[in-house]
Amino acid sequence: MELPHPSGDTISVHSNSSRGNDSYMGNDDDNETLSTFSHTSKSKASGVRETTNMLQKDKWVIRIRVAAVIVMLMAAVSVSCVEYFGLVGSEQLEFEHRYEDQAEQLGHALQSELGVKLRAMDSFSVAISSYSMNGFVQWPNISLPEFEFRAATALTNGGGLSIGLQPLVHKENLKEWEEYSIQHQEWRTKGLEFQHMFPEALQVVAAGGNRKLLGAGNHSEPTGEANDHSDNSSIPEISQYVFKVVDGIPVRVEEDLMMPVWQYSPIDKGMPYVNYDQYSKDRNRDALTEVVKKEVAVLGPYFPLAESFHGHDFDPVSFRFEENTWTEIWNGESTANAVDEKTNPHNNMDGPAVNIWYPVFSELGSGDRTEVGILSMTARWDSFFLPHLPPNPVGLMVVMTNACSEGFTFEITGDAVTYLGTGDFHDSAFESYRRDFSLTAEASVFSDIPLSATFCPYMAAIYPSQSTRDSYETDRPINYTIGVACVFLFTIIVFISYDHLVERRQRFLADTAEKTHVIVSAMFPKVVRDRLFDENNNKSRSGINKFVSNQSSKSSTPARPKDTPIADLYTNTTVMFGDISRFTAWSSTRQPTDVFILLETLYGEFDRIARDMDVFKVETIGDCYVAVTGLPNPRHDHHLRMIRFARQALTQMSVLTRELEVRLGPDTTMLGFRVGLNSGPVTAGVLRGERSRFQLFGDTVNTASRMESAGAANRIHIAQATADLVIDSGKGHWLRKRDDLIEAKGKGEVQTYWVKGGKAASSTKTGTSNGSSNSFRAQKDNKRKLAKQERVRQSLIDWQVELLSKLIKQIVGLRKTKTVKNQDFANHVGQKLLPREEIAEHIHMPPFDPEKAKTVLKGGDDLPDLVTSQLKDLISTISSLYHNNSFHNFDHASHVTMSANKLLQRIVTPAFQENGEFLKEAHEYTFGLTSDPLTQFAILFSTIIHDLDHSGVGNPQLVKEKNRLAAMYGGKSVAEQNSIDLALELLTSSSYSDLLSCICADDEDFQRFRQLVINCVMATDIFDKELLTLRNNRWKKAFSENDESASDLKATIVIEHIIQAADVAHTMQHWHVYQKWNEKLFFEMRKAYESGRGGEKDPADTWYNGELWFFDNYVIPLAKKLDDCGVFGVCSDECLTYAKQNRKEWEVKGRIVVEAMCKKYRDEYEIKEGIDEDEEDDSSN
C-alpha cells in the first residue's frame, strides 16, 4: 500500500509474511542508516568548506598581528640590550678608575709608612748616640737612661711590636761586657715599673680602632714580668754569658763579632733574653752584615709571628725558668724540658712580621763616625697598611715579595687587613690590573742613613679581586633594563589585549550563536530549527551580531509574537510516555542528590539510545520521559522504531538500577519503567514565549499518556492504533492482547496490547492466586523468590559496606599514622554491667580541630583489602543473625540505616561543606557531629544491629514467657540489650581485629564507640516508661532550659533522635513506603498472635485505632522534636509533612487497608502452608 508523505510524495510499503517482513524491515533500517550517514557527511563537508574559507580570510589578519608583535618584541629586546650593556660598561669604568686610585693610595701608603718607621728608629738612634757622646761612656758598655720611655715613643710612632739595642761586642772585650751586663740590670726594673704605671704607652691603635699592647700579640693586658713588678726578687736572672740557641739549648758564643741583646722593650716574663746574640741567628746574619758593612738600614726577611717570643725575634729555649736559673743551666745542674709555655713560639700571634735593622753610631753627623751598635724594631706587616688605608677598599689583594724569602698575601676590605698566607693568592683573572710598588725610602734627616736598595728589596703587587668587582655591580642595569622592557611589554600587552578584546568580542558573538544553535538543536527537530534560524536571519538588521544583540536586549516580559507560529501537522508518528514506577515512594527515602544521580544516569542513557536510533526526545517532566518518532523526518517504520527504542530503554533500566543499588541503597532495583505508546497524527511546533519549547498536541499524545498510566512496570503498553500498524508491518507476533479493557477519557473502554518480552502483568489487581492447585509451580516460584531474596540480601550487604567504608576512611584519615597496633578490646564486652545500666546521660564529643574537620570533608585513602574483606564478612554475618521475620529483619534494618544516613547527611548545610571558614561554626551548630566520623559510624552501625536476633515478638511477651533472655536482662529492654551484646561480641572477636583497629585506635576510642552504640540501640525501646522519663527529662534540661553549655547533652539527644526517627521512618515517608512496612509489621504481629505469642487481642481488631494513636502520641511529636533540635534543616519539615499526610490518609483508608491486609495474609498463609506440605511429602518420598 501507499502511505501519504507530508511533502506530497508517497512511500510504498510491501505487505509480506512475518519472517519476510522482518528481513524487509532490516533492509529498510540499513537504507535509512545510509541515507542518514550521507546527509551527515554532506553537512560535515559543507562545514569543513565554510571553516576553510573563514581561515583563508583571516590568514592575512593573523600574519599582520604576528608581524606587529614580532617587531615590538625585537624593539624591546634591542633597546633593553643597549640599555643593559651600556650601564654594565659604565660600572666597569667606575670599577677600573676607583681601583686605580685605591691601588695608588695603597702603594704610597706602604712607602710612607716605611718612612715613618725608619724616622722613628733614626730618632731613637740619634738619642742613643747623643747620650754616648755626652755621657762619657765607653761602648759597648752603655745603658741608655729612660730607655723604656724612649722605646715606647719609638714604638708608638713607628707602629712596631718591639724594639731592642744590640751593641757590637768584639771578642777581646767579651769578658768585660759580660761582667758589665750582670752588674747593670737596673734598666729592667725600671722598664717593668714603667710598663705597669703607663700601660697605654705601649699600646697602639690597630685596625678597627682596637688598642693592643705592643709586643703582646692578641693580649690586651701587659704580661710576664710586667705583672710582677712589685716583687723585683721574682725577676729571673740574666745569662752570665753571651749565647745563642741551638735546638732549644743555650750555647755560649765567643766570636770575633757579636751583637748581644741588651736593652729591649717591652719586657716579658720568662727567660731573660739579655745577651742573646742576634748575629748568630742565621736568618739575621746577612741583614746585620749588610748594616755593619754599608752603614745602611735594612728590611730583613719576613718571619711568622707565631715563631716569635711575644713580638721579639728570639729563639725559644727548652728550660722552665720557674724551676731553673741561668747559673744552674751554665753549671749543668738543670735538665732540658718541654718548651716553657711563656717562651712557646705559639703565643696567640699570627701573620708575618719583619725586623728593621738600623745602625747606631758613637758620634752624630755624617763625618768620621764609628758604628757601635744596631737598633732593631720588629713590626707586623699589616702595620704598614693600617694608618693610610684608602677609603672603603673591598677585596684588594696585596702580594709582598722579596729575593730573600717566599712571598705572602694580604686581603684588604674596609679597615680589616687579613693575612691569607704564604704564597700568591690573587685571582689570575685580574692579572692585567696589576700595580707594582717598590718599598724604598729616602735617607734619614738626622743620620743620613739610607735604606739598603740591594738587600732583599721588597716589592708590593696590588690586584683587585672578584669581590672588588662585585662591589661595583649594582641592580641598576637590570632594573633599568627591566623598566625599559616593562614599558615595551606593557605596550605589547595593551596591543594584544586590545586585539584580544576585539577577537573575544567576535568569538563571543560567534560562540553565542553556536551555543544558541546547540541549544535549539537539542530542543527542536532539524526542520523546526532551520525555520527558526531562517526566520531570524530574514529579520536580522546586520547579520548574526544583530541577532545576538537582540537576544541579549530582550525585556523580561516577552513580546506578543506577530508573525506566523512555527507549527506543523505530522500525520504518521508514534509517541512514547515512559514513567519510573515506584519512583515517588523511592525518592521520599533518598537525599535530593541521590534522586538526581538516578535520573541523570537513566535519562542520559536513554538520550544516547535515542540519538543512535533517530528517536526525538521531546522533554522530561519529573520522572516522565517523552519521545516521538516520525517527526521531523517522516518514517514509515516509526512504530517499530519506537518499540525497539522502548525495549532497549527497559533493558538499560534493569542494568543501570542494579549498578546503582550499591550507591543509592536498597529497593533501587525494585524501580521499574512503565511505557505507553500510541500512533497517529500530532500537532508539533514551538510554543513561543519567555522559555520557548517544542511541544506535541493532539489526541495521540493524550492517549499515549493514558497508555503509560494504565500500563505495568517493565512492560510496553500500546494503543489499538499502534497495534494495527505493527500487525500491518508483519510483526503481529510481537503483541499480546490485554485481557481487560481500559477506560480512556472521551472514548470509553478501549482494547490495548502488551508488547511481548516483559514481565507478566495481571489484568486486574484483585483475584486469588491458584498456587495451591499447582504445587510444582508454587515450589518453583518459591525457589525463585528465595533466590531473589538472596540477591537482594547481597546487594544490601554491598551497599552497607560501601556506606560504612567511607566513614572508616575518614576515621583513619584523622589519625597522624594510618597503622594502629591491634588492640584487645574483647575484655570490654563481658563487663559486669548490663547495657541498660550503662546508658549515659551525655556522651563526650571531641573538641573542634580545624585540620581534622578539613580531613573529614576530604575523606581518606582507600582501606586495605583485608579491612574491607572483614567489614563485608561482618555485615554478612550480621545479616545471617536476623530471623526470617516479616518486619524485624535485615531488610528493615537496611531501611533504617538508609533513613538514618539521610538524616545525617542533611545535618550539614551546603554552605558548611563548601567553605572551610565555616567549619568551626558547623561544628558548634551540629554539636560536634559534623567533624566526628566515629560518631556517625556508631549511629549507622547501631541501625544495622538494633534488631539483631529479634524473635518476632515484643519484650512484654518475652518477659511473660520467662524467656532466658528476659531473665538475663532483668525483664527490661530484652531484645535491645541482646542485640547490643551479640553485636559487640561479634565485632571484638579475633576475626575482625584489623577492622576494629581501624575503627578504634585505642581503649578510649572503643569505650566511646561502645557508649554510642548502647545509647543508640537502647533509644529504640520506645515503650519502656523508665527510659521514656529519662529521655524527657534530658530533653527538658537540654532544650527547654536553653542551656548553651550543654553541648554534649544536646549532641547525645540528637544522636538518639536520629535512630528513633530512622526506626519509624516509614511513617514519615511516602504513603506507599508506609503501607509496605506497616503491612509487614501487621503480618509479623498477626503471625505471633495466631501462634499464641501475640497477646489476647487480634491485631486486626486494634490495628486501625492503634496506628492513629501511634501517629498522635509518638510519630508526629517525634517529627516536631526533630525540628526543635535545629540541626536537620528542611528534612525535619519533610518528616512532619509526610507524618501528617499519612495520618490523614490512614484515617480515611485505614479500615479498608486493614481488611486488605487480612485477606492478603490469609492468601499468603494458605500458599505457604501448601508449599510446606508439598515439600514434606517430597522429602518423605
Side-chain angles (χ1 to χ4, degrees):
M1 64 179 178
E2 294 182 342
L3 299 178
H5 191 277
S7 61
D9 300 330
T10 59
I11 299 176
S12 177
V13 181
H14 302 275
S15 176
N16 297 332
S17 64
S18 176
R19 185 166 300 278
N21 199 52
D22 282 342
S23 175
Y24 166 76
M25 295 300 291
N27 293 335
D28 189 65
D29 288 343
D30 293 340
N31 294 335
E32 179 62 27
T33 302
L34 291 174
S35 175
T36 303
F37 175 77
S38 175
H39 176 74
T40 304
S41 300
K42 291 179 181 179
S43 299
K44 290 184 177 179
S46 176
V48 170
R49 286 193 299 269
E50 183 178 354
T51 302
T52 303
N53 293 333
M54 291 177 63
L55 291 176
Q56 290 176 349
K57 292 177 181 178
D58 292 341
K59 182 195 261 186
W60 283 106
V61 176
I62 295 174
R63 288 181 179 178
I64 293 174
R65 290 174 180 166
V66 172
V69 172
I70 291 175
V71 168
M72 285 188 286
L73 286 174
M74 291 177 62
V77 171
S78 300
V79 175
S80 298
C81 289
V82 171
E83 181 72 15
Y84 177 77
F85 288 111
L87 292 173
V88 169
S90 66
E91 287 186 349
Q92 178 67 20
L93 290 176
E94 183 181 3
F95 154 69
E96 292 176 354
H97 292 159
R98 291 289 299 275
Y99 162 69
E100 290 290 338
D101 293 342
Q102 290 183 346
E104 190 71 24
Q105 294 178 43
L106 199 56
H108 291 311
L110 281 171
Q111 295 175 345
S112 175
E113 185 60 22
L114 175 60
V116 170
K117 294 182 187 304
L118 290 177
R119 285 192 293 273
M121 295 187 72
D122 181 63
S123 177
F124 200 0
S125 174
V126 168
I128 296 173
S129 299
S130 177
Y131 171 73
S132 65
M133 289 175 60
N134 299 327
F136 305 101
V137 294
Q138 186 67 34
W139 285 89
N141 303 333
I142 181 174
S143 297
L144 181 64
E146 300 178 347
F147 179 85
E148 59 280 355
F149 173 77
R150 300 176 185 273
T153 302
L155 291 175
T156 302
N157 294 336
L161 289 173
S162 62
I163 194 166
L165 174 63
Q166 289 78 217
L168 301 183
V169 179
H170 295 278
K171 188 175 183 180
E172 58 270 16
N173 53 11
L174 174 60
K175 184 175 182 181
E176 180 185 358
W177 163 255
E178 289 175 343
E179 291 176 356
Y180 176 83
S181 64
I182 294 298
Q183 297 171 3
H184 296 80
Q185 300 185 45
E186 64 277 3
W187 62 270
R188 296 176 60 210
T189 303
K190 294 179 180 180
L192 290 173
E193 291 177 351
F194 176 81
Q195 290 178 194
H196 176 70
M197 294 176 63
F198 306 102
E200 67 278 359
L202 293 177
Q203 293 180 351
V204 295
V205 179
N210 299 319
R211 298 190 66 83
K212 300 180 66 177
L213 180 66
L214 291 170
N218 293 334
H219 296 293
S220 60
E221 294 293 337
T223 60
E225 298 178 25
N227 294 327
D228 298 332
H229 66 92
S230 60
D231 186 7
N232 294 338
S233 62
S234 65
I235 301 175
E237 66 175 352
I238 66 172
S239 174
Q240 299 95 327
Y241 307 106
V242 176
F243 69 93
K244 64 181 178 180
V245 180
V246 179
D247 297 330
I249 305 300
V251 178
R252 188 173 180 180
V253 178
E254 293 184 7
E255 301 290 342
D256 292 336
L257 178 61
M258 292 158 286
M259 301 179 188
V261 174
W262 178 226
Q263 292 176 292
Y264 63 90
S265 180
I267 301 173
D268 293 275
K269 190 175 180 180
M271 181 180 191
Y273 272 80
V274 177
N275 283 333
Y276 172 73
D277 185 19
Q278 289 279 22
Y279 193 64
S280 299
K281 189 177 180 69
D282 293 338
R283 186 167 57 207
N284 299 336
R285 180 177 290 273
D286 292 340
L288 292 173
T289 301
E290 181 80 6
V291 175
V292 172
K293 288 184 177 181
K294 298 184 178 180
E295 297 184 355
V296 292
V298 171
L299 280 175
Y302 101 96
F303 66 93
L305 274 174
E307 299 177 4
S308 70
F309 176 75
H310 299 294
H312 299 281
D313 191 14
F314 303 153
D315 290 327
V317 296
S318 302
F319 291 97
R320 295 185 181 276
F321 277 85
E322 292 81 355
E323 304 171 1
N324 303 282
T325 65
W326 274 108
T327 302
E328 292 173 344
I329 292 174
W330 294 124
N331 291 338
E333 299 173 359
S334 180
T335 305
N337 205 333
V339 177
D340 188 294
E341 61 179 0
K342 301 293 184 174
T343 63
N344 191 339
H346 303 287
N347 46 48
N348 294 327
M349 303 184 72
D350 57 2
V354 65
N355 286 322
I356 305 175
W357 307 103
Y358 204 87
V360 179
F361 299 96
S362 58
E363 298 88 7
L364 295 175
S366 57
D368 186 12
R369 58 186 179 183
T370 302
E371 189 172 349
V372 294
I374 295 179
L375 191 64
S376 64
M377 177 187 287
T378 302
R380 299 172 63 98
W381 265 108
D382 55 10
S383 68
F384 283 79
F385 304 101
L386 290 175
H388 307 287
L389 288 176
N392 301 320
V394 177
L396 291 181
M397 311 294 289
V398 181
V399 182
M400 303 298 300
T401 58
N402 69 0
C404 301
S405 57
E406 191 177 358
F408 50 92
T409 306
F410 288 98
E411 181 179 2
I412 302 176
T413 299
D415 58 357
V417 180
T418 305
Y419 174 61
L420 300 182
T422 304
D424 187 348
F425 292 99
H426 84 278
D427 190 345
S428 59
F430 295 93
E431 185 65 36
S432 60
Y433 293 94
R434 173 171 178 167
R435 291 293 308 275
D436 293 325
F437 296 92
S438 299
L439 266 68
T440 59
E442 299 178 353
S444 60
V445 177
F446 301 108
S447 303
D448 195 24
I449 302 298
L451 178 67
S452 175
T454 58
F455 182 82
C456 296
Y458 278 87
M459 179 71 69
I462 303 176
Y463 304 89
S465 64
Q466 187 59 46
S467 59
T468 311
R469 180 65 185 88
D470 293 343
S471 66
Y472 292 93
E473 289 185 355
T474 65
D475 295 334
R476 188 177 60 173
I478 190 67
N479 290 340
Y480 276 53
T481 302
I482 291 175
V484 173
C486 287
V487 172
F488 276 92
L489 183 61
F490 177 76
T491 304
I492 295 173
I493 291 175
V494 170
F495 172 79
I496 295 176
S497 300
Y498 175 76
D499 183 73
H500 173 71
L501 291 175
V502 174
E503 180 69 16
R504 182 179 176 183
R505 181 175 179 274
Q506 296 298 110
R507 289 187 179 277
F508 171 76
L509 297 175
D511 290 345
T512 302
E514 179 65 23
K515 290 176 182 178
T516 303
H517 184 276
V518 172
I519 293 173
V520 172
S521 298
M523 294 178 61
F524 305 106
K526 183 178 183 302
V527 174
V528 176
R529 180 186 69 223
D530 293 343
R531 288 179 61 181
L532 282 173
F533 285 129
D534 290 342
E535 181 180 282
N536 182 74
N537 289 335
N538 292 334
K539 295 179 181 180
S540 176
R541 295 189 298 271
S542 57
I544 193 169
N545 294 344
K546 288 294 184 180
F547 170 77
V548 176
S549 176
N550 290 341
Q551 294 296 320
S552 61
S553 62
K554 286 180 179 180
S555 62
S556 59
T557 303
R560 185 188 300 262
K562 297 180 180 180
D563 52 334
T564 304
I566 300 175
D568 284 304
L569 174 65
Y570 296 87
T571 57
N572 295 299
T573 65
T574 298
V575 179
M576 184 197 88
F577 275 75
D579 187 75
I580 301 177
S581 62
R582 306 183 187 92
F583 174 79
T584 305
W586 180 90
S587 62
S588 71
T589 64
R590 292 330 193 263
Q591 305 174 59
T593 54
D594 292 342
V595 174
F596 272 77
I597 288 173
L598 175 75
L599 293 177
E600 288 178 352
T601 303
L602 294 179
Y603 289 165
E605 182 64 19
F606 292 174
D607 291 345
R608 183 192 64 80
I609 299 172
R611 286 193 301 270
D612 294 343
M613 299 189 67
D614 196 21
V615 173
F616 181 75
K617 172 189 174 182
V618 180
E619 61 181 343
T620 56
I621 306 174
D623 60 326
C624 183
Y625 191 92
V626 183
V628 64
T629 54
L631 67 82
N633 299 318
R635 299 185 63 94
H636 61 275
D637 64 338
H638 53 86
H639 49 290
L640 300 178
R641 186 170 292 270
M642 183 59 80
I643 291 176
R644 293 189 181 103
F645 168 74
R647 280 179 170 175
Q648 289 199 31
L650 288 175
T651 301
Q652 289 302 311
M653 177 77 182
S654 177
V655 172
L656 292 175
T657 52
R658 285 178 182 270
E659 293 176 354
L660 290 171
E661 188 166 39
V662 175
R663 182 176 181 184
L664 301 182
D667 296 337
T668 303
T669 54
M670 303 302 292
L671 296 173
F673 195 54
R674 187 171 54 244
V675 179
L677 305 182
N678 186 35
S679 300
V682 298
T683 298
V686 179
L687 185 61
R688 293 174 294 181
E690 186 173 353
R691 291 180 177 86
S692 300
R693 289 170 31 176
F694 182 80
Q695 293 190 338
L696 306 178
F697 300 94
D699 182 65
T700 302
V701 179
N702 297 333
T703 304
S705 176
R706 177 62 179 144
M707 292 298 103
E708 177 271 318
S709 60
N714 300 321
R715 298 301 306 272
I716 304 174
H717 190 210
I718 66 175
Q720 183 68 57
T722 306
D724 292 341
L725 292 175
V726 172
I727 294 171
D728 291 343
S729 300
K731 301 294 184 180
H733 58 282
W734 285 9
L735 309 179
R736 184 175 67 83
K737 183 182 293 186
R738 183 166 177 164
D739 296 336
D740 57 332
L741 302 178
I742 67 168
E743 182 73 24
K745 183 178 180 181
K747 296 184 179 182
E749 293 184 340
V750 295
Q751 179 66 55
T752 58
Y753 295 81
W754 300 107
V755 175
K756 295 179 181 179
K759 298 179 180 178
S762 299
S763 60
T764 62
K765 295 183 180 180
T766 61
T768 303
S769 173
N770 61 352
S772 59
S773 64
N774 192 337
S775 63
F776 176 77
R777 182 174 181 180
Q779 290 179 22
K780 186 176 180 181
D781 290 342
N782 186 52
K783 291 180 180 179
R784 188 180 296 112
K785 180 180 179 182
L786 293 176
K788 179 182 178 182
Q789 290 176 351
E790 177 60 22
R791 183 189 64 78
V792 171
R793 187 180 78 91
Q794 288 298 326
S795 66
L796 292 177
I797 292 172
D798 293 339
W799 169 72
Q800 291 180 353
V801 168
E802 179 71 18
L803 183 64
L804 295 180
S805 295
K806 294 178 181 178
L807 292 173
I808 297 177
K809 291 176 185 178
Q810 294 178 1
I811 294 172
V812 176
L814 290 182
R815 301 177 190 146
K816 293 182 180 179
T817 57
K818 294 185 180 180
T819 58
V820 180
K821 295 183 179 179
N822 290 341
Q823 303 284 335
D824 184 13
F825 300 114
N827 58 334
H828 295 290
V829 178
Q831 301 198 19
K832 295 181 180 180
L833 295 177
L834 297 177
R836 181 186 172 93
E837 297 172 347
E838 294 186 64
I839 297 175
E841 182 182 47
H842 68 273
I843 302 173
H844 175 67
M845 302 298 293
F848 177 73
D849 186 330
E851 295 301 323
K852 289 185 178 181
K854 292 178 182 178
T855 303
V856 171
L857 291 180
K858 294 178 182 177
D861 298 331
D862 292 338
L863 295 176
D865 293 339
L866 178 61
V867 174
T868 304
S869 175
Q870 290 183 4
L871 177 60
K872 186 171 184 178
D873 183 69
L874 174 67
I875 302 301
S876 179
T877 304
I878 289 174
S879 70
S880 66
L881 293 177
Y882 274 91
H883 298 294
N884 191 25
N885 302 319
S886 294
F887 184 81
H888 293 94
N889 53 30
F890 185 63
D891 288 354
H892 179 254
S894 300
H895 182 265
V896 175
T897 303
M898 180 176 61
S899 301
N901 183 58
K902 179 180 179 180
L903 288 171
L904 276 174
Q905 295 303 317
R906 295 298 292 271
I907 285 178
V908 184
T909 63
F912 291 147
Q913 292 180 345
E914 294 173 2
N915 195 333
E917 296 179 359
F918 296 102
L919 290 176
K920 187 175 188 301
E921 185 179 346
H923 176 90
E924 296 173 352
Y925 172 76
T926 61
F927 315 118
L929 290 177
T930 57
S931 53
D932 184 27
L934 181 61
T935 298
Q936 300 172 31
F937 178 86
I939 294 173
L940 297 184
F941 180 78
S942 300
T943 61
I944 296 173
I945 59 97
H946 78 286
D947 283 332
L948 196 64
D949 196 34
H950 198 287
S951 60
V953 296
N955 288 331
Q957 183 64 30
L958 295 176
V959 174
K960 180 179 179 180
E961 295 174 354
K962 298 182 180 180
N963 186 282
R964 65 174 186 84
L965 293 178
M968 181 186 302
Y969 296 112
K972 296 181 179 181
S973 306
V974 178
E976 290 78 12
Q977 294 190 80
N978 180 49
S979 298
I980 293 172
D981 284 344
L982 284 177
L984 292 179
E985 183 178 357
L986 178 64
L987 179 61
T988 55
S989 64
S990 59
S991 301
Y992 309 109
S993 58
D994 296 282
L995 170 63
L996 188 55
S997 295
C998 286
I999 299 170
C1000 303
D1002 50 30
D1003 183 71
E1004 182 182 353
D1005 278 357
F1006 180 76
Q1007 288 288 9
R1008 198 164 72 85
F1009 171 74
R1010 173 185 170 84
Q1011 192 64 65
L1012 285 165
V1013 172
I1014 290 174
N1015 272 52
C1016 285
V1017 177
M1018 294 304 298
T1020 61
D1021 188 359
I1022 61 177
F1023 294 108
D1024 188 288
K1025 294 182 179 179
E1026 293 181 11
L1027 295 182
L1028 179 61
T1029 302
L1030 173 65
R1031 286 193 286 266
N1032 289 337
N1033 291 336
R1034 285 191 300 173
W1035 175 270
K1036 181 178 180 181
K1037 181 179 179 181
F1039 290 98
S1040 299
E1041 298 177 1
N1042 294 324
D1043 185 1
E1044 297 181 357
S1045 63
S1047 177
D1048 288 343
L1049 180 58
K1050 292 179 180 179
T1052 306
I1053 293 174
V1054 169
I1055 291 170
E1056 293 177 353
H1057 276 68
I1058 288 174
I1059 193 167
Q1060 286 178 337
D1063 195 28
V1064 295
H1066 61 281
T1067 64
M1068 296 181 280
Q1069 293 169 351
H1070 192 270
W1071 168 257
H1072 292 164
V1073 179
Y1074 165 65
Q1075 249 188 320
K1076 169 186 173 182
W1077 293 107
N1078 186 45
E1079 180 183 276
K1080 289 179 178 292
L1081 181 59
F1082 175 80
F1083 282 7
E1084 182 176 304
M1085 297 186 70
R1086 184 69 181 271
K1087 181 180 179 182
Y1089 168 75
E1090 293 184 352
S1091 63
R1093 305 183 68 193
E1096 299 178 356
K1097 295 183 179 180
D1098 186 349
D1101 297 336
T1102 60
W1103 200 260
Y1104 174 77
N1105 292 324
E1107 285 296 292
L1108 291 177
W1109 180 92
F1110 190 61
F1111 271 112
D1112 293 337
N1113 293 276
Y1114 183 74
V1115 176
I1116 293 177
L1118 177 62
K1120 291 179 178 179
K1121 282 189 175 182
L1122 292 179
D1123 185 54
D1124 293 339
C1125 288
V1127 297
F1128 296 104
V1130 296
C1131 194
S1132 58
D1133 297 332
E1134 180 186 15
C1135 292
L1136 182 59
T1137 300
Y1138 272 124
K1140 290 181 177 180
Q1141 289 177 352
N1142 290 336
R1143 197 261 184 217
K1144 184 177 182 180
E1145 195 158 357
W1146 176 261
E1147 187 176 12
V1148 176
K1149 302 178 180 178
R1151 299 184 187 278
I1152 299 174
V1153 172
V1154 172
E1155 293 178 3
M1157 289 193 300
C1158 291
K1159 185 177 185 305
K1160 185 176 181 181
Y1161 176 81
R1162 288 193 299 270
D1163 294 342
E1164 290 191 3
Y1165 184 73
E1166 291 175 0
I1167 293 173
K1168 188 175 186 304
E1169 276 191 338
I1171 294 173
D1172 292 341
E1173 291 175 359
D1174 291 338
E1175 288 179 349
E1176 289 178 2
D1177 294 341
D1178 292 342
S1179 61
S1180 64
N1181 294 332

